[in-house]
Amino acid sequence: MAIPYFPGCTLSTKANGYDRSGRAVAQALGLEFQELDEWQCCGATFPLATDNAMALIAPTRLLRQAQEAGGQVTTLCAVCFHVLRRTQNFLQGHPDALERINWFTEEPYLGNVRVTHFLELLRDQLTWENLRAKVAQPLKGLRVAPYYGCLLLRPQSEICLDDPDDPHILHDCLAALGCEVITFPYQSECCGSYLAVNKPEVPQQLAQDILASAQRHGAQAIVTACPLCQYNLDYPQQSVSGWALKPLPVLYFTQLMAVALGLPGEVWGMEEHIVDPLPLFAPYGATVA
Amino acid sequence: MQDFMTEMSTLSEQPISLCFHCHKCTAGCPVVAEMEYGPDRILRMVQLGERERLLQSRDIWLCAACETCGTRCPNEIDIAKVMDALRMEALRSGIAPAEPDAAKFHKLFLFVVQTLGRSHEASLLIAYKLWTMNLLADMDSGMKLFLKGKVPLLPKTIKGRQQVKRIFVKSAEAMAKGQPSPTPAQEAK
């Protein structure tokens, strides 16, 4: 049975390669995605102050669509996942807010949709052993550093995906692909998020620290589940001079999965990256035809 | 009239009075280098009721809501929620954001979603550049993104965008009436 899938704005524009590789990987593993009809933006931030429930209208409208699509929804974007899961949690504890929001949207949401990140489906539904069994091209010896960022992990009481101080879900996924997985101290530091728009010097400094740390620990690539992290780490590498760094490719976990599962090059979605990741895969005989 | 700390504790649902200033939040904050005070002094200023100074501070607009502070706080204060409450209070009180470009970006983002139903980077960035009159910064990198196909030129719209617009209109009306969260019963009157 196809799984209701919410791509979100960024995956349908800037992070198209994440979407493309994710869909192909899901299909190859028998977890095929069915995109929600006529979805709109999730709002991109979870409103934190209590009487700002109006900002929950957008994600609630999506949960309503997921309710119609079978009661669950999965995402790849860490931002959308964060917003949808926290909204779902909030509405379960605040039926009065749900009633008000339903008045705005004119379509009743009942409050029972299960929001998942694709990584959770891999861990809990497919399992890492089954993933390992499907790997056609083990990426033996490829040294990758998982970078979790913020939104996939925190706050733990609401997100409940993994331990925010010692996360391992990306580690486990990459280990199943045969990679040599590197833990580095910046793995769950913030990338600077949307300060990229009006204070670009902040994420640039943070990116430098994160990339340098990963490189010191021997990483050949950084792997993330968040399009904003990917942008903030990859993009400054083209223009910032004076960094004592070699270029470090920043990949989505689904892209490494696509390579390891032996899927064709056109679904890897790596042509948009600033630092070209393709040379990493040449030793495995995996190239884009 | 409630004191400022009680107001902010209610708005953020956080026990601000519990903070004993261990500095763990400030030690881990990724943007503290850009701040005037940093998270733990912000909490102290809330405790002391320094309303104007806080609401005029750029710090509340710099918080990236990464939740590192809240995760590490021994008193389980979710400081990102306090920051959001302070931003809301500043906007409601008509205090101009100390980071005006940040506020402009937030408004444009909502405008694009209101019009298209979805966010669209090309429209958003062009409008942002025009509004801030910062036309040439990032031009080079913006072109590269465009050439690499990362930013499609024409936006996609959705069939439900009329409904999305209607929701925005209803919300604006409710806000104008001073009812940020109207109940169905209030509407029926």
Side-chain angles (χ1 to χ4, degrees):
Chain A
M1 199 187 91
I3 297 163
Y5 166 61
F6 173 58
C9 306
T10 307
L11 268 72
S12 49
T13 54
K14 189 171 76 60
N16 175 270
Y18 191 13
D19 180 67
R20 210 179 336 145
S21 55
R23 286 179 200 248
V25 162
Q27 183 164 26
L29 296 172
L31 300 164
E32 197 179 343
F33 291 162
Q34 172 71 46
E35 183 173 337
L36 291 182
D37 288 335
E38 298 301 330
W39 51 265
Q40 94 289 335
C41 171
C42 73
T45 46
F46 181 76
L48 298 169
T50 49
D51 68 347
N52 194 12
M54 240 163 8
L56 291 173
I57 292 171
T60 308
R61 190 172 181 272
L62 294 170
L63 292 170
R64 163 78 175 33
Q65 288 183 323
Q67 170 182 291
E68 301 306 298
Q72 64 162 327
V73 62
T74 199
T75 56
L76 286 168
C77 175
V79 186
C80 299
F81 164 71
H82 180 93
V83 170
L84 289 176
R85 180 165 275 184
R86 291 188 80 180
T87 301
Q88 170 61 21
N89 272 343
F90 177 83
L91 293 178
Q92 266 181 347
H94 296 77
D96 50 327
L98 179 58
E99 189 191 352
R100 283 199 296 274
I101 292 165
N102 282 340
W103 174 80
F104 274 106
T105 57
E106 301 164 5
E107 293 170 333
Y109 172 55
L110 305 175
N112 300 314
V113 162
R114 190 166 78 98
V115 177
T116 53
H117 190 274
F118 183 52
L119 278 169
E120 283 175 308
L121 293 183
L122 294 175
R123 178 187 65 190
D124 304 334
Q125 200 165 318
L126 181 76
T127 76
W128 303 129
E129 294 78 55
N130 285 331
L131 173 60
R132 194 184 297 272
K134 299 216 174 181
V135 168
Q137 173 60 68
L139 300 172
K140 284 261 176 286
L142 184 66
R143 297 188 308 277
V144 294
Y147 174 69
Y148 293 84
C150 308
L151 300 173
L152 204 57
L153 301 174
R154 294 189 290 259
Q156 190 188 19
S157 57
E158 294 174 55
I159 301 291
C160 307
L161 180 92
D162 207 345
D163 182 344
D165 292 319
D166 185 22
H168 54 86
I169 191 165
L170 272 173
H171 284 70
D172 296 344
C173 177
L174 298 171
L177 307 179
C179 299
E180 185 182 325
V181 188
I182 287 170
T183 302
F184 73 119
Y186 282 79
Q187 64 180 3
S188 51
E189 284 286 311
C190 176
C191 72
S193 180
Y194 49 74
L195 292 175
V197 177
N198 60 309
K199 279 246 174 235
E201 65 277 14
V202 176
Q204 272 170 22
Q205 181 58 50
L206 294 167
Q208 192 174 354
D209 297 343
I210 293 162
L211 294 166
S213 171
Q215 214 155 64
R216 273 199 302 276
H217 284 76
Q220 294 172 280
I222 286 193
V223 183
T224 177
C226 175
L228 198 49
C229 295
Q230 200 280 336
Y231 176 85
N232 278 339
L233 294 182
D234 187 31
Y235 175 68
Q237 294 195 57
Q238 71 175 329
S239 53
V240 179
S241 53
W243 288 15
L245 287 170
K246 282 176 290 186
L248 194 62
V250 186
L251 290 156
Y252 297 111
F253 70 98
T254 50
Q255 295 176 317
L256 281 175
M257 290 180 76
V259 178
L261 293 172
L263 303 184
E266 61 259 27
V267 303
W268 297 1
M270 296 179 193
E271 58 280 354
E272 296 159 2
H273 290 238
I274 300 291
V275 180
D276 184 8
L278 291 175
L280 292 174
F281 308 114
Y284 305 94
T287 50
V288 178
Chain B
M1 170 103 188
Q2 287 181 325
D3 67 86
F4 187 57
M5 184 176 75
T6 313
E7 274 179 55
M8 291 303 103
S9 301
T10 310
L11 189 54
S12 62
E13 283 187 322
Q14 297 307 308
I16 299 174
S17 61
L18 290 187
C19 171
F20 47 52
H21 307 283
C22 71
H23 279 277
K24 279 185 89 171
C25 52
T26 304
C29 176
V31 293
V32 73
E34 297 290 320
M35 288 186 170
E36 289 176 87
Y37 309 114
D40 97 280
R41 283 180 70 193
I42 294 257
L43 291 179
R44 186 63 185 150
M45 285 157 73
V46 177
Q47 290 172 339
L48 293 173
E50 296 196 40
R51 187 175 184 280
E52 306 306 315
R53 198 171 152 205
L54 264 173
L55 300 185
Q56 287 165 8
S57 155
R58 66 170 182 264
D59 292 16
I60 59 178
W61 297 98
L62 284 173
C63 169
C66 76
E67 303 270 6
T68 306
C69 50
T71 302
R72 296 178 182 169
C73 176
N75 295 309
E76 299 182 355
I77 305 172
D78 188 336
I79 302 163
K81 288 191 173 173
V82 179
M83 293 289 194
D84 214 23
L86 290 167
R87 283 193 287 266
M88 280 186 71
E89 187 62 16
L91 288 177
R92 278 182 198 164
S93 314
I95 294 174
E99 289 285 337
D101 289 356
K104 282 177 185 169
F105 179 70
H106 289 307
K107 281 190 186 155
L108 278 177
F109 183 88
L110 285 176
F111 175 74
V112 171
V113 173
Q114 182 174 1
T115 313
L116 307 174
R118 294 183 187 176
S119 166
H120 176 250
E121 279 92 355
S123 312
L124 188 58
L125 288 175
I126 291 166
Y128 177 75
K129 295 282 170 211
L130 284 173
W131 197 3
T132 57
M133 289 309 285
N134 190 3
L135 295 174
L136 296 176
D138 290 340
M139 205 50 145
D140 169 52
S141 34
M143 275 314 283
K144 275 193 190 147
L145 275 187
F146 177 66
L147 292 175
K148 277 185 169 277
K150 273 209 173 194
V151 183
L153 192 56
L154 292 176
K156 257 201 180 132
T157 55
I158 60 168
K159 282 193 199 129
R161 68 182 185 279
Q162 288 310 325
Q163 191 205 6
V164 172
K165 267 190 196 166
R166 226 169 33 245
I167 292 171
F168 270 91
V169 171
K170 269 170 110 173
S171 317
E173 285 170 2
M175 285 289 262
K177 279 189 223 151
Q179 301 165 348
S181 309
T183 60
Q186 280 168 329
E187 175 60 17
K189 274 178 205 162

